[in-house]
Amino acid sequence: MKLVEKFLLGSAIGLIAVVEAHATDLPLKARPVEYVKICSLYGAGFYYIPGSDTCIRLGGYLRVETTLNTSGHYDMPSSGVPGARNRLTDYYSTRSREYLSIDTRTATEYGVVRTFFDGAFTWTTGTYAGVGTTGVNGSTAYTSSLGSAVGAGSLGVYDAFIQFAGFTFGKAASQFSSPWTGYPGNNIELPGGGGWEPVNQFTYTADLGQGVTASFSVQDQVANYTSNVWNVSAATATGLAVGAYGANDIGGSRTPDLVGMVRVDQAWGLFQASVAAHDNHAAYYGASEVTGNPSDKWGWAGQLALSIKNVPTGPGDTINIQGVYTSGASRYNFDSYKSTTYAMYGGTGLAGAYQSIGLAGISDSVFVTGAGQELTTSYGFNGAYTHNWDPYWSSAIYGAWTAVRYNNTAKGYVCGAFVTALALSSGGSGCNPDFNYAVLGTVTRWTPVRNLTFSAELSYMVLDQKYASGSTVTLPQQSNIAKPGTVYELKDQNRLTLLLRAQRNW
């Protein structure tokens, strides 16, 4: 009997163990699937991140473009190989770009917390520049442009900022700039106002109601908002030949730029007024700190911008225009994508001259050893009118005009260098480094289906230099652009370019 009881007890224990073992193999009850939900709080395209109350939107575009009669895709062919106008100059250049943006937003008791990032992967055709020297057979080398190495590309970080309770922290468009920056209706970059290139900043924006906002910002001035601080005492013939009026002598960062802006944004359009203060901090007169230095000198910039929507010529037609004035803060007129030195070559009918050249340079200030900084003045405007022919076709006409002016003291410094280093034929009396820069153009866009646009843009640029008519300079040999050391006529120059683009937004 005891044997039977032991057998039954052992069997029961074994059965329980087997049941438990099989129970561990049974599938657990599936958790409910958490589908991505549409977030309608912030407009189309936002979705809730699963498991959170944060909304996210992804966006971007793929762009392919070709420029004709220039190597540039933002700037005109105004310097270097593009400005040389010879066998090294490109008749065309190509670029492909994939752009990505990530926008997240979360509702909190302090308001919406937002983060935004956008950047681009870009490949651009490079150029060939000369590497020959006097008495040596000519040769060239491939010069990388923006991500132009064969089989490679570049990553550009545009915006990267956080917004919280009216504050903006990080890399974002300057509060000085209008919403359209250098693109009032065009694709190629225009001077005449604050640029689009984002800059690190700390900003507070107050919403005053009725579409009125006011912002105050401290923003990084290096290097987006600093052009040149030229030590003219260190000017060389090689530098003057490309439009550099001295050695760039910028000291370390001391004070950020201070920016204030008021904007009215309503159904009829937009009006904006903005101002900026910019500290010009030079390094030393000579190679060491014992040589001394010029004192800091503050510059400033002011801008007015106006946008008129739905003008009577048709639905969606717009007019954008802005004007700017700067003193010691030239980057608020000529943004960081534009060259600050100009050396444009052309033909000549002047006896004894090999070719003609337009020379010009932009600075925030100039100085010579033992003297203070002389601030450079600039002013100008840009604008465009866009007309929609129908839902698929639109055209715009646009233009920009800017001027750079040096005071009499600064002219004396620069002209002394020109007479000494380049043997300016007209002497100091015929020397004037002031210049005007103008662009006129038109663009037509075709959008056959939503978010796919093809465009063709024709731009005409003029460099209007102010040296006396018939003046000449003797330039040194410049092997990188294959220009001989000889006599050139100082003369106004112009260029005509065409930009063809295809872009798919998503």
Side-chain angles (χ1 to χ4, degrees):
M1 186 68 178
K2 289 183 179 180
L3 182 63
V4 173
E5 289 177 349
K6 289 180 179 179
F7 175 78
L8 292 175
L9 181 60
S11 298
I13 293 172
L15 181 61
I16 292 171
V18 170
V19 170
E20 287 180 349
H22 281 283
T24 60
D25 295 334
L26 293 175
L28 298 175
K29 184 179 180 181
R31 294 180 180 178
V33 177
E34 203 168 332
Y35 294 102
V36 176
K37 297 186 297 182
I38 294 175
C39 174
S40 59
L41 297 175
Y42 311 110
F46 280 93
Y47 296 87
Y48 282 101
I49 297 175
S52 79
D53 57 355
T54 296
C55 300
I56 187 171
R57 179 172 63 185
L58 303 179
Y61 64 73
L62 196 148
R63 174 190 295 168
V64 181
E65 66 185 29
T66 297
T67 57
L68 303 179
N69 199 33
T70 181
S71 302
H73 290 257
Y74 290 107
D75 203 357
M76 301 297 284
S78 56
S79 61
V81 169
R85 215 170 187 176
N86 58 16
R87 290 184 65 83
L88 297 182
T89 305
D90 294 324
Y91 282 2
Y92 73 93
S93 177
T94 60
R95 170 175 289 178
S96 298
R97 168 173 289 172
E98 173 63 39
Y99 164 91
L100 172 68
S101 66
I102 305 171
D103 192 348
T104 71
R105 307 188 193 190
T106 307
T108 73
E109 61 269 30
Y110 296 98
V112 175
V113 176
R114 182 191 185 198
T115 68
F116 185 83
F117 166 86
D118 62 345
F121 299 92
T122 304
W123 192 93
T124 307
T125 304
T127 61
Y128 284 90
V131 294
T133 57
T134 304
V136 178
N137 292 332
S139 61
T140 62
Y142 186 70
T143 302
S144 295
S145 181
L146 182 62
S148 59
V150 177
S154 68
L155 170 63
V157 176
Y158 298 157
D159 295 278
F161 61 81
I162 300 170
Q163 289 181 321
F164 172 70
F167 291 95
T168 298
F169 315 89
K171 196 168 186 279
S174 171
Q175 302 303 312
F176 184 88
S177 299
S178 67
W180 58 88
T181 64
Y183 303 95
N186 48 293
N187 293 330
I188 197 167
E189 192 90 10
L190 293 179
W196 75 272
E197 177 70 8
V199 59
N200 281 323
Q201 62 187 267
F202 175 77
T203 298
Y204 178 72
T205 299
D207 188 342
L208 305 179
Q210 303 297 317
V212 181
T213 57
S215 297
F216 177 76
S217 177
V218 291
Q219 69 178 35
D220 187 9
Q221 62 165 247
V222 183
N224 292 19
Y225 286 90
T226 299
S227 63
N228 298 298
V229 176
W230 275 324
N231 183 348
V232 184
S233 294
T236 64
T238 302
L240 291 168
V242 298
Y245 295 158
N248 220 347
D249 202 9
I250 303 171
S253 59
R254 288 294 185 271
T255 308
D257 284 6
L258 308 177
V259 178
M261 181 269 288
V262 175
R263 179 181 295 171
V264 179
D265 193 350
Q266 297 181 341
W268 58 266
L270 175 146
F271 173 78
Q272 177 178 316
S274 47
V275 295
H278 174 82
D279 178 35
N280 292 289
H281 178 72
Y284 298 102
Y285 292 127
S288 75
E289 59 190 35
V290 300
T291 59
N293 59 271
S295 300
D296 285 19
K297 203 165 187 177
W298 280 85
W300 66 278
Q303 177 179 270
L304 297 177
L306 177 67
S307 177
I308 303 175
K309 302 176 183 178
N310 297 316
V311 295
T313 52
D317 290 5
T318 59
I319 295 174
N320 294 326
I321 189 169
Q322 61 187 355
V324 63
Y325 185 96
T326 76
S327 175
S330 299
R331 276 302 190 195
Y332 288 93
N333 190 354
F334 297 84
D335 69 53
S336 58
Y337 270 76
K338 303 204 70 62
S339 175
T340 57
T341 57
Y342 303 93
M344 301 175 65
Y345 289 83
T348 182
L350 185 67
Y354 171 67
Q355 289 178 347
S356 65
I357 184 172
L359 286 174
I362 301 168
S363 66
D364 290 336
S365 70
V366 300
F367 66 90
V368 295
T369 299
Q373 298 184 70
E374 300 295 330
L375 300 184
T376 304
T377 298
S378 78
Y379 45 90
F381 71 91
N382 67 47
Y385 163 67
T386 300
H387 174 64
N388 295 280
W389 302 100
D390 59 34
Y392 308 102
W393 289 89
S394 67
S395 296
I397 54 174
Y398 61 85
W401 180 89
T402 56
V404 174
R405 299 291 184 262
Y406 292 87
N407 65 30
N408 289 334
T409 302
K411 287 177 181 177
Y413 298 160
V414 174
C415 291
F418 261 78
V419 172
T420 301
L422 299 184
L424 179 65
S425 64
S426 57
S429 62
C431 176
N432 186 350
D434 296 346
F435 71 95
N436 301 331
Y437 180 107
V439 180
L440 183 65
T442 182
V443 57
T444 294
R445 300 179 175 92
W446 175 47
T447 306
V449 297
R450 185 181 178 186
N451 293 328
L452 175 64
T453 300
F454 301 90
S455 63
E457 179 171 1
L458 191 67
S459 303
Y460 178 72
M461 172 263 191
V462 173
L463 179 67
D464 174 20
Q465 52 92 55
K466 300 299 180 182
Y467 294 98
S469 177
S471 295
T472 63
V473 288
T474 302
L475 302 184
Q477 177 173 310
Q478 300 172 82
S479 299
N480 64 314
I481 58 173
K483 292 297 181 182
T486 187
V487 176
Y488 294 82
E489 179 190 7
L490 289 169
K491 186 179 178 182
D492 298 348
Q493 302 293 329
N494 58 75
R495 295 292 189 270
L496 183 68
T497 65
L498 179 65
L499 171 62
L500 303 175
R501 174 180 290 180
Q503 181 168 314
R504 168 71 163 94
N505 296 335
W506 55 273

